[in-house]
Amino acid sequence: MRNSELAISIKALTKFYENFQALNKISFEVKRGDFFAFLGPNGAGKTTTINVLTGLSNYQNGQVKVFGYDVTSEYLHSRRLIGLCAQESNFDPFLTIYQLLVYQAEYFGIIPWEAKRRANELLDRFGLAEKRNCKHRALSGGMKKRLLLCRALIHDPEILILDEPTSGCDLELKFLIWDYLLQLNKEGKTIFLTTHYMEEAEKLCKTIGIINNGTIVRIGDKKQILQDKSLQDVFLEITGIE
Ligand SMILES: Nc1ncnc2c1ncn2[C@@H]1O[C@H](COP(=O)(O)OP(=O)(O)OP(=O)(O)O)[C@@H](O)[C@H]1O
Ligand SMILES: [Mg+2]
């Protein structure tokens, strides 16, 4: 890896959807090994930022790097280092969930026997082994969330980017995901997640970044941010509690 210290480096990133400006010169960094929560109300620009990081969206200005690799000009390098758990499921409807995982692993250059081993291991780990021959539409909402996680992890990425990984999950699954993410972080993986649950950010992360209307409001240590009285109104907006 080219830059082992900075997992994410975003400088003056500006993104328009036609005439609408979704990101306005945002800049921030995420250190290797950090557990970073990216918070903001609906429409703040979180998913847009993730789409840029993972090469799914273009952008008009700025510089975006993952472990030192430019997400545009060095896309193949940067994308290989990211495990993406998207906000919504987007699976091939014709494949079984086992095939989905194996193909995803092979897409990242993992040899077939190892791809199959990893797929089985992850399906087992997330309680989906019995469903391995089902298509994803035959899964419940919580199971689809688990499958998204399996797919994000299949190529053993350096950074996991998770867009609201526990929304719609029951308590048991939420705790399973939390435990797993904490364990991965302990093992040295960098984690970047978005959430509307302050409890989730408080329990899991080390650093918090807040975005609102496409502008970075604050980045800092979790404790300092959560204790900052001037941010209470933004927190209410993020959680949706009146
Ligand atoms: N494909 C698109 N075309 C046009 N506008 C878009 C598109 N995707 C997002 N936007 C707009 O960009 C803004 C930021 O959206 P984004 O999805 O990044 O928000 P978010 O912070 O992820 O919100 P949420 O918490 O609801 O998931 C919103 O105003 C949204 O309507
Ligand atoms: Mg979003």
Side-chain angles (χ1 to χ4, degrees), residues 179-227:
D179 279 351
Y180 199 67
L181 295 181
L182 284 170
Q183 187 192 324
L184 284 170
N185 185 239
K186 250 191 205 148
E187 289 165 10
K189 302 290 187 198
T190 309
I191 310 226
F192 177 103
L193 65 72
T194 78
T195 180
H196 288 271
Y197 306 128
M198 296 309 288
E199 186 198 4
E200 187 160 286
E202 199 173 345
K203 276 237 159 65
L204 302 180
C205 73
K206 299 172 186 163
T207 311
I208 290 181
I210 298 175
I211 182 168
N212 201 1
N213 289 323
T215 307
I216 297 291
V217 176
R218 194 74 64 81
I219 303 279
D221 173 75
K222 168 178 73 181
K223 277 200 189 119
Q224 282 170 1
I225 298 248
L226 291 178
Q227 283 166 5

Side-chain angles (χ1 to χ4, degrees), residues 2-113:
R2 186 175 303 171
N3 182 336
S4 57
E5 287 318 305
L6 279 188
I8 291 175
S9 159
I10 296 181
K11 287 186 185 144
L13 170 62
T14 294
K15 160 80 184 165
F16 282 88
Y17 292 107
E18 296 185 0
N19 293 327
F20 176 77
Q21 184 163 19
L23 298 175
N24 183 5
K25 293 189 192 151
I26 69 165
S27 297
F28 66 93
E29 291 172 347
V30 177
K31 292 202 176 75
R32 181 191 180 88
D34 201 355
F35 202 132
F36 187 96
F38 199 37
L39 309 179
N42 289 135
K46 303 181 296 295
T47 300
T48 301
T49 306
I50 288 176
N51 287 347
V52 169
L53 280 166
T54 50
L56 295 171
S57 263
N58 66 357
Y59 51 98
Q60 283 67 37
N61 267 305
Q63 189 187 57
V64 184
K65 291 186 175 182
V66 172
F67 289 106
Y69 293 105
D70 189 285
V71 298
T72 308
S73 60
E74 297 170 301
Y75 170 75
L76 288 179
H77 289 286
S78 63
R79 186 63 187 86
R80 171 69 183 79
L81 297 168
I82 301 172
L84 171 66
C85 183
Q87 189 166 10
E88 284 162 14
S89 33
N90 54 342
F91 298 107
D92 186 325
F94 298 106
L95 300 176
T96 67
I97 65 170
Y98 172 72
Q99 287 169 326
L100 278 172
L101 294 179
V102 172
Y103 289 177
Q104 178 80 4
E106 290 178 1
Y107 169 77
F108 284 112
I110 292 163
I111 53 175
W113 71 264

Side-chain angles (χ1 to χ4, degrees), residues 108-127:
F108 284 112
I110 292 163
I111 53 175
W113 71 264
E114 173 65 3
K116 288 173 188 159
R117 191 194 65 74
R118 288 189 193 192
N120 281 321
E121 185 181 284
L122 283 166
L123 288 173
D124 221 22
R125 177 72 184 78
F126 285 94

